[in-house]
Amino acid sequence: MKYIVIGAVAGGMTAAMKIRRNDDKAEIVVYDKDTDISYSGCSLTYYISGVIENRKSIVPRDSQYFKKFNVDVKTAHEVLRVDTQNKKVIVRDLITGNIFEDGFDKLIIATGAHPVVPKIDGIELEGIFVLRNVKDADRIKMYINSYCPKKALIVGGGYIGLEMAEALKVLGMDVVIIEKQENILPNMDSDMARLVENYLEEKEITVKTSTSVLRFEGDKRVTTAILSDGSRLDVDFVLIAVGVRPSTQFLEGSGIQLLPNGAIKVDEYMRTNIEGIFAAGDCASVYFKLNGKTIYMPLGSTANKMGRIAGENATGGNLKFSGILATSIFKVFDLTVAQTGYTEKTAQQDGIEYEVGHITKPHITTAYPGAEKMTIKALAEVYSRKIIGAQIIGTKGVDKRIDVLATAIFAGLTADNLFQLDLGYAPPFSSAKDPIHYVGMVMS
Ligand code: FAD
């Protein structure tokens, strides 16, 4: 049996290795147009800031590493087209320029996503970057080392924009974030996002919401951004972080079903509409567990699961994906920002009747040094009492609480169950009544 995998990062390499584990005789060929493979995209902002010093630690494996598992990873090979009828891919070797065909029995597409670059005058000027892969990070680092920029503009107030705001501030730049929505972090409710905006202002990061860039100016290198509020901003570094688009253009005309945004439509088994062709990771759709709807939510945590499921099912398995809760977490300076399940915004879109519980409580008992407050906003469905969503902002202990709440939602626990949870307690770790218990109490 011959398997071809397109894309050699989270989704693709997880799928390839699962195929190998299930079938030690399989012929496995992985194509990637990049030369860095199997890297930690999630670590890129820390590599730029210098928190992670060593490039090798974010790109720990190369194609040689996978040879010992008899997985043939061909880097600098771009798949130009998939011929679904004749079960072959058309590939360009980016070093030699040769174009050739390669046949498969099963295909897994894991081509990820690429940053959206808005059509703005001057966007091609030097000093304007996107961040998706290790080479983007290398380019950013090299520019910072060469020109020592001092005035950074981040276009887009999502989590990548905010992580980069911290990185650039740490590297000595003044940072302005602009976001065209009414608040940053548009996936969160605005009351929670505003807490983050206030915190960023405390950290001397300027946040301009409901604002976009009209054009960039500069002679070769960017010097000015003209904003929709009429202001002219002196800039010598710009990051465009306004979201990603699935990398699936090469599938147009292949017969593989795509969503309007270009994501490959997969079922719970990672099957596309074409027999023997699977997709995983940021190039594909996922199910939102709470309503079964197909959504697009590109995350590394999900890409890994999808890759494993695709690999399992490509080798004859029957592993079903339970869907996602869109659980996410990131930090900006000392603040941790996390969410799972529905927000008020998305619950309203689905017509769900919900109640909201808010608490602000220390993460450990206040008698113990270092207690820090966190704010939790939780949603429960009115008729079933089930917890359906949570957002948390705080400096310590947020990771543990969001994972408890994600587990509670996954398991279908009610608000009343939260108070009953038997959670570990000793002063350095929690309080006798944990913030999770308080959520249960205010919502009971
Ligand atoms: P990708 O990582 O995009 O890999 C796809 C690969 O396919 C690429 O190497 C590409 O070169 C290759 N490819 C594309 N088209 C072709 C073609 N036609 N032929 C051959 N090869 C092709 N997620 C989290 O869950 N938590 C985080 O904290 C987090 N932080 C992040 C921080 C940053 C700065 C970034 C950029 C992303 C972050 N993510 C995070 C998202 C996470 O990195 C992605 O969800 C994950 O990398 C997706 O993996 P993937 O394998 O689906 O796609």
Side-chain angles (χ1 to χ4, degrees):
M1 187 70 88
K2 169 139 175 216
Y3 298 84
I4 289 183
V5 178
I6 318 174
V9 189
M13 288 323 297
T14 309
M17 293 306 282
K18 184 64 183 154
I19 293 169
R20 172 53 71 232
R21 261 179 242 116
N22 288 2
D23 180 353
D24 57 7
K25 299 209 169 46
E27 184 185 352
I28 306 171
V29 179
V30 185
Y31 290 109
D32 201 301
K33 62 184 180 181
D34 203 343
T35 49
D36 297 306
I37 58 163
S38 193
Y39 55 81
S40 171
C42 311
S43 302
L44 293 175
T45 56
Y46 305 107
Y47 171 55
I48 290 168
S49 68
V51 169
I52 297 177
E53 289 175 12
N54 188 352
R55 191 184 195 277
K56 182 100 180 99
S57 60
I58 56 170
V59 197
R61 289 172 285 272
D62 58 12
S63 46
Q64 196 60 33
Y65 170 89
F66 291 100
K67 281 217 162 45
K68 65 178 178 241
F69 302 101
N70 198 17
V71 172
D72 184 10
V73 184
K74 294 185 185 302
T75 60
H77 279 72
E78 180 174 11
V79 174
L80 303 176
R81 211 157 55 76
V82 176
D83 179 346
T84 52
Q85 300 238 307
N86 298 304
K87 291 193 153 194
K88 59 189 184 188
V89 292
I90 293 82
V91 187
R92 180 188 284 134
D93 178 334
L94 296 175
I95 309 289
T96 63
N98 277 350
I99 295 181
F100 61 93
E101 296 178 353
D102 196 4
F104 58 83
D105 297 300
K106 300 276 174 76
L107 174 70
I108 294 176
I109 305 167
T111 45
H114 56 277
V116 172
V117 179
K119 289 191 173 65
I120 302 174
D121 279 352
I123 192 95
E124 70 295 335
L125 286 166
E126 253 184 58
I128 302 179
F129 298 91
V130 292
L131 176 60
R132 176 69 193 182
N133 56 34
V134 190
K135 290 193 179 57
D136 292 333
D138 290 337
R139 274 191 283 273
I140 290 173
K141 277 174 88 80
M142 203 183 295
Y143 181 87
I144 291 173
N145 290 339
S146 306
Y147 299 111
C148 299
K150 287 280 166 252
K151 291 181 183 304
L153 170 66
I154 296 176
V155 183
Y159 77 92
I160 292 176
L162 268 58
E163 283 186 1
M164 274 301 284
E166 175 185 341
L168 299 179
K169 190 80 183 168
V170 165
L171 292 170
M173 295 180 219
D174 291 335
V175 181
V176 177
I177 300 174
I178 61 165
E179 165 59 55
K180 79 167 185 225
Q181 307 286 331
E182 279 175 14
N183 49 264
I184 59 165
L185 301 173
N187 287 340
M188 293 193 104
D189 285 328
S190 46
D191 54 340
M192 297 299 277
R194 291 230 164 83
L195 300 178
V196 184
E197 283 171 19
N198 295 343
Y199 175 82
L200 289 172
E201 299 283 351
E202 277 170 32
K203 291 284 170 188
E204 297 179 337
I205 306 263
T206 305
V207 179
K208 286 171 174 269
T209 53
S210 305
T211 307
S212 52
V213 184
L214 298 183
R215 66 177 187 280
F216 293 109
E217 292 178 355
D219 178 19
K220 196 163 176 253
R221 208 173 306 147
V222 67
T223 54
T224 314
I226 314 294
L227 306 186
S228 58
D229 63 5
S231 56
R232 292 174 68 88
L233 218 59
D234 289 345
V235 292
D236 49 9
F237 181 99
V238 176
L239 180 79
I240 305 287
V242 295
V244 295
R245 201 161 281 150
S247 298
T248 56
Q249 304 87 321
F250 70 108
L251 297 176
E252 273 163 27
S254 67
I256 296 172
Q257 192 186 345
L258 305 178
L259 299 180
N261 77 336
I264 302 167
K265 171 97 168 66
V266 290
D267 66 9
E268 297 100 316
Y269 300 89
M270 304 302 118
R271 295 180 298 214
T272 68
N273 60 317
I274 308 265
E275 173 76 32
I277 301 186
F278 299 76
D282 287 7
C283 63
S285 64
V286 278
Y287 286 87
F288 188 51
K289 185 176 169 54
L290 296 175
N291 61 12
K293 284 188 188 161
T294 296
I295 58 167
Y296 182 63
M297 178 61 63
L299 281 173
S301 46
T302 307
N304 274 284
K305 289 194 197 82
M306 293 170 86
R308 185 179 171 85
I309 293 169
E312 171 71 12
N313 294 339
T315 47
N318 195 32
L319 184 57
K320 187 174 173 178
F321 193 17
S322 304
I324 63 160
L325 294 172
T327 307
S328 64
I329 187 164
F330 72 95
K331 82 165 199 69
V332 52
F333 300 100
D334 293 330
L335 200 70
T336 307
V337 181
Q339 70 182 106
T340 183
Y342 277 115
T343 58
E344 282 201 75
K345 250 187 282 188
T346 53
Q348 283 162 15
Q349 280 159 13
D350 271 6
I352 292 173
E353 217 185 318
Y354 61 86
E355 61 174 293
V356 177
H358 273 110
I359 62 131
T360 297
K361 291 286 171 194
H363 83 295
I364 57 172
T365 191
T366 46
Y368 195 85
E372 297 272 356
K373 284 187 177 159
M374 70 172 74
T375 297
I376 305 183
K377 175 179 181 178
L379 268 66
E381 190 180 33
V382 168
Y383 98 92
S384 68
R385 312 268 315 119
K386 281 183 181 171
I387 297 289
I388 55 168
Q391 295 158 75
I392 314 184
I393 291 169
T395 46
K396 288 185 185 161
V398 171
D399 50 348
K400 162 162 129 171
R401 275 63 182 213
I402 201 69
D403 284 346
V404 170
L405 287 164
T407 308
I409 298 171
F410 192 93
L413 299 190
T414 62
D416 317 272
N417 290 146
L418 291 184
F419 167 68
Q420 301 279 355
L421 287 180
D422 188 11
L423 304 174
Y425 164 59
F429 306 106
S430 173
S431 39
K433 282 200 279 300
D434 189 82
I436 294 289
H437 295 132
Y438 278 106
V439 173
M441 288 190 285
V442 299
M443 300 190 81
S444 295

